[in-house]
Amino acid sequence: MAKATHSERVACKKKMKKLAFMLIPFMASGVTLADSSYRYATSNDQKLSIGVTRYSELYEEFVDGKKFMQEKSSNMTGVEIEYERALSANSKFSLKAGYATGTSTYTGAYTGGNYGDLIVSGLDRSKFELESNYKTTFAALQNLTLGAGLGYRHHEDHLEQAGPGGYNRRNNRLYATIGMERIFTAGSGVTVTPAVQYKQILWSVQS
């Protein structure tokens, strides 16, 4: 298994600085889906939510326009905790933390070989993410909620499990978010909250 050179890492970092987009919850991949959650109201202006998440993710690296490697995960499962505090009748602050773990399939090349020569499955990976947001609800827009915030993410891939030449890849990044959401009542006390969130990477380091 080939380990990325300095020039290849630079190309990877340039790619990572591209815009990231997430659609929640209606997207087939690259999205966190809340399988179940429990919401506890600590007071009239504070809420605590705990949920189980499951998502898929695709990571790619390119060198001189050609694919160098790919890592695909479709079974990342974790837990997410979110604290919300009302600041006024129509605004609130939220702090969310989540941890997920799972396995991935690595596709690359042996040293001197071609992309696709090497395929290894069952590689461990993990993610920790911390995100804060300020949200405001506008009654004039049918109670549409708009928000913005900052986040930090640490991602770790155990590529050393693929064999000689592999390494433990760590990625740290800071990002800004903007988004919108709206609560729909489905009856019998059931609510559905579709949301769209856009993430812009501000800083990223990979080792």
Side-chain angles (χ1 to χ4, degrees):
M1 175 180 166
K3 183 174 180 179
T5 64
H6 174 71
S7 61
E8 292 165 345
R9 296 276 182 84
V10 171
C12 172
K13 291 176 183 177
K14 288 181 179 179
K15 174 181 172 60
M16 290 167 55
K17 290 181 180 179
K18 293 183 179 179
L19 307 184
F21 178 80
M22 294 185 69
L23 177 62
I24 302 175
F26 307 111
M27 189 173 175
S29 64
V31 62
T32 300
L33 302 178
D35 294 334
S36 61
S37 64
Y38 173 75
R39 183 175 291 272
Y40 174 68
T42 56
S43 68
N44 291 333
D45 61 351
Q46 298 182 69
K47 293 180 181 179
L48 182 66
S49 301
I50 302 175
V52 176
T53 62
R54 186 176 179 85
Y55 74 98
S56 61
E57 187 170 276
L58 176 64
Y59 174 88
E60 298 172 298
E61 290 186 15
F62 293 83
V63 178
D64 297 329
K66 297 181 180 180
K67 184 177 285 189
F68 173 74
M69 62 82 71
Q70 169 185 296
E71 190 170 8
K72 184 177 182 180
S73 173
S74 58
N75 61 347
M76 294 291 289
T77 304
V79 62
E80 190 173 272
I81 301 175
E82 182 176 18
Y83 169 77
E84 294 183 351
R85 183 180 181 88
L87 303 178
S88 67
N90 61 349
S91 65
K92 61 184 178 181
F93 167 81
S94 68
L95 181 64
K96 179 170 58 178
Y99 176 80
T101 184
T103 59
S104 64
T105 298
Y106 174 93
T107 303
Y110 293 100
T111 302
N114 298 315
Y115 172 78
D117 291 343
L118 175 63
I119 301 177
V120 183
S121 301
L123 304 177
D124 293 329
R125 65 176 357 201
S126 62
K127 182 202 74 171
F128 169 77
E129 194 161 3
L130 183 66
E131 183 178 305
S132 62
N133 283 281
Y134 172 80
K135 300 179 180 180
T136 302
T137 301
F138 296 89
L141 299 176
Q142 299 182 335
N143 291 323
L144 179 69
T145 298
L146 302 180
L150 293 172
Y152 164 78
R153 166 173 158 156
H154 172 81
H155 207 141
E156 191 163 339
D157 291 296
H158 291 276
L159 301 181
E160 76 277 7
Q161 296 175 352
Y167 66 105
N168 185 358
R169 184 177 64 211
R170 299 180 179 90
N171 177 265
N172 294 280
R173 65 178 60 171
L174 294 176
Y175 59 87
T177 70
I178 56 174
M180 64 178 68
E181 62 185 47
R182 185 185 171 196
I183 298 177
F184 292 88
T185 301
S188 302
V190 178
T191 60
V192 179
T193 309
V196 175
Q197 187 181 58
Y198 172 89
K199 295 185 177 182
Q200 168 67 57
I201 298 174
L202 303 176
W203 169 86
S204 181
V205 172
Q206 180 167 289
S207 60

